[in-house]
Amino acid sequence: MRFARRRLGLVVVLVLVLVSAAAEAAGRWKKAYYRATVPGAFARSESVNTANGDVSEYTSTRLADEEGKVVLETRYELKTGQFAGTKGVNRYVLKAGFPFAAEGPGWMRGVEQGQASAPDGTVVDMDETTVAAIASGATDYGSLVVFKGTEEVAGKVCDRYAYTHGAGEQKVDGEYWMNDSVPFGVVKEVLSGTDATGARYRFETKLVESGVKPEIAK
């Protein structure tokens, strides 16, 4: 009887190990990494294409909610390269009830409305077809990521994740270093693959500045 109980215990442990491994393989974030992204929160990052040295800057901001819906603004500027000086602004409204804090970088799956700046600086509304395409085409990073451990990046303790999306020429490999006390959660990101011309790219993006400006949310 004692031997039978011991065997049963070993079986239970083995099952728990297999379930844990399956859960890791299935993905999903360990935390709600965007919990600190409250109205007024912002994060500014610098991205370098290590394949050619081109530099870009990105700023994400959470504006005041509209009727209980999360509103986000993203700004970008190409600092170097052929298109240096190019700037743009996009604004998005997410669906009511969308789990923004838990979705992390996959938040674009919840886009319900959008606006974008035209080359002359005017802002135009995105039509329903465009918005639907953005939401349906957005990557569900939570379903892809695999937890790789904990590391310190720029003085912040981060959870590191890796993922692969697509296959063949469309294959993209990425890594995220996440911290749930930082607005927009991402302290570092590495993205690599092949572009439409067949050239390899590797973007390394690092957080430069973040915080909360209450006046933005008014």
Side-chain angles (χ1 to χ4, degrees), residues 161-185:
Y161 294 86
Y163 70 90
T164 296
H165 182 54
E169 294 182 356
Q170 303 299 317
K171 179 183 175 183
V172 174
D173 293 309
E175 291 183 278
Y176 279 111
W177 285 259
M178 308 291 291
N179 181 300
D180 64 338
S181 67
V182 174
F184 290 93

Side-chain angles (χ1 to χ4, degrees), residues 38-41 61-65 212-218:
V38 297
T61 305
R62 180 172 176 180
L63 306 178
D65 291 356
V212 177
K213 297 180 179 179
E215 64 273 17
I216 295 176
K218 294 181 180 178

Side-chain angles (χ1 to χ4, degrees), residues 141 163 172-175 189-193 201-205:
Y141 293 103
Y163 70 90
V172 174
D173 293 309
E175 291 183 278
E189 177 186 2
V190 174
L191 185 70
S192 61
Y201 62 81
R202 182 181 181 277
F203 292 100
E204 184 169 320
T205 304

Side-chain angles (χ1 to χ4, degrees), residues 85-161:
T86 301
K87 301 179 181 180
V89 182
N90 295 325
R91 181 178 177 275
Y92 302 99
V93 179
L94 307 189
K95 298 174 183 177
F98 183 78
F100 173 70
E103 277 293 308
W107 62 264
M108 292 193 78
R109 297 170 62 237
V111 171
E112 181 181 68
Q113 300 175 38
Q115 294 178 319
S117 61
D120 63 359
T122 59
V123 177
V124 297
D125 292 330
M126 299 179 188
D127 58 42
E128 292 184 6
T129 301
T130 299
V131 172
I134 290 173
S136 63
T139 302
D140 180 5
Y141 293 103
S143 69
L144 300 174
V145 293
V146 176
F147 179 65
K148 292 296 185 178
T150 302
E151 300 177 8
E152 185 172 311
V153 178
K156 296 178 174 60
V157 177
C158 300
D159 293 330
R160 179 187 171 197
Y161 294 86

